[in-house]
Amino acid sequence: MDNTNPYRLMAAYNRWMNGKLYAVWSDIPDEKRKADLGAFFRSIHSTLNHILWADRLWLRRFETRAYPMMPIGQDLYADFSELRAEREKTDTLILQWVGGLCEERLAQPLEFTSLSDGKTRRAPMWKFMTQFFNHQTHHRGQVTTLIKQLGFEPGITDIPWMPGAMEVV
């Protein structure tokens, strides 16, 4: 098995879920999307900003892409349409980047200094790739709960329902 396949699947899942859920989130009035609902990053809007912020932070580490960084918890985009457009661009970059990965790269060490605690961490790339996709899924799950509480329906969020993910017999 090609060890890059799970990451290709997760990159496709990330794009699918973001496209699907941003469509739902766009139906939520701005005041509700930005309301403090008690989530770790307060609101739906701020949590979506955080996911994009973290994805770009990891892309900076993975491929030394020059994204401007703001402090954690500060929104990158106040306007939802702009946030959505930037999310779509970043999802395309993630798919392209993961599509070019090889097993040798996954095995190579990655080292970075954390913005959270200032400590340097080093491990094979695959461990950080796993964290990258786990982080997205974790926070999207939080936002999905928030939108359900507001009375909106996210639909099925499981990989087997992603178009093209597997054969339906």
Side-chain angles (χ1 to χ4, degrees), residues 43-95:
S43 67
I44 291 168
H45 190 84
S46 290
T47 303
L48 298 178
N49 267 282
H50 171 72
I51 298 167
L52 180 60
W53 176 89
D55 284 356
R56 288 178 171 180
L57 175 64
W58 281 108
L59 287 172
R60 273 178 56 157
R61 292 170 178 162
F62 294 150
E63 62 173 16
T64 61
R65 182 174 289 274
Y67 286 114
M69 292 310 296
M70 301 171 91
I72 189 170
Q74 185 175 337
D75 286 353
L76 299 171
Y77 302 98
D79 179 72
F80 182 75
S81 318
E82 190 176 8
L83 174 62
R84 186 178 190 175
E86 292 298 319
R87 175 76 266 170
E88 289 170 2
K89 286 181 201 173
T90 302
D91 288 346
T92 297
L93 288 172
I94 292 168
L95 275 169

Side-chain angles (χ1 to χ4, degrees), residues 21-144:
L21 293 176
Y22 266 81
V24 175
W25 296 324
S26 68
D27 291 338
I28 299 172
D30 211 36
E31 64 274 3
K32 285 188 177 184
R33 200 175 38 249
K34 291 182 176 180
D36 187 338
L37 300 173
F40 190 78
F41 290 98
R42 301 168 309 284
S43 67
I44 291 168
H45 190 84
S46 290
T47 303
L48 298 178
N49 267 282
H50 171 72
I51 298 167
L52 180 60
W53 176 89
D55 284 356
R56 288 178 171 180
L57 175 64
W58 281 108
L59 287 172
R60 273 178 56 157
R61 292 170 178 162
F62 294 150
E63 62 173 16
T64 61
R65 182 174 289 274
Y67 286 114
M69 292 310 296
M70 301 171 91
I72 189 170
Q74 185 175 337
D75 286 353
L76 299 171
Y77 302 98
D79 179 72
F80 182 75
S81 318
E82 190 176 8
L83 174 62
R84 186 178 190 175
E86 292 298 319
R87 175 76 266 170
E88 289 170 2
K89 286 181 201 173
T90 302
D91 288 346
T92 297
L93 288 172
I94 292 168
L95 275 169
Q96 291 169 347
W97 181 72
V98 170
L101 278 178
C102 63
E103 291 191 53
E104 293 78 28
R105 179 66 183 112
L106 288 175
Q108 290 175 350
L110 174 68
E111 183 175 293
F112 68 91
T113 301
S114 170
L115 297 177
S116 300
D117 63 11
K119 294 181 181 177
T120 299
R121 289 179 170 70
R122 179 183 171 107
M125 169 77 89
W126 70 265
K127 288 187 179 183
F128 294 118
M129 289 290 297
T130 302
Q131 168 57 26
F132 175 66
F133 289 114
N134 184 62
H135 180 266
Q136 297 167 341
T137 302
H138 166 71
H139 285 298
R140 261 195 314 267
Q142 291 175 330
V143 177
T144 301

Side-chain angles (χ1 to χ4, degrees), residues 148-165:
K148 287 284 286 181
Q149 290 172 351
L150 291 175
F152 292 84
E153 180 54 49
I156 295 175
T157 61
D158 297 327
I159 290 172
W161 282 263
M162 181 175 71

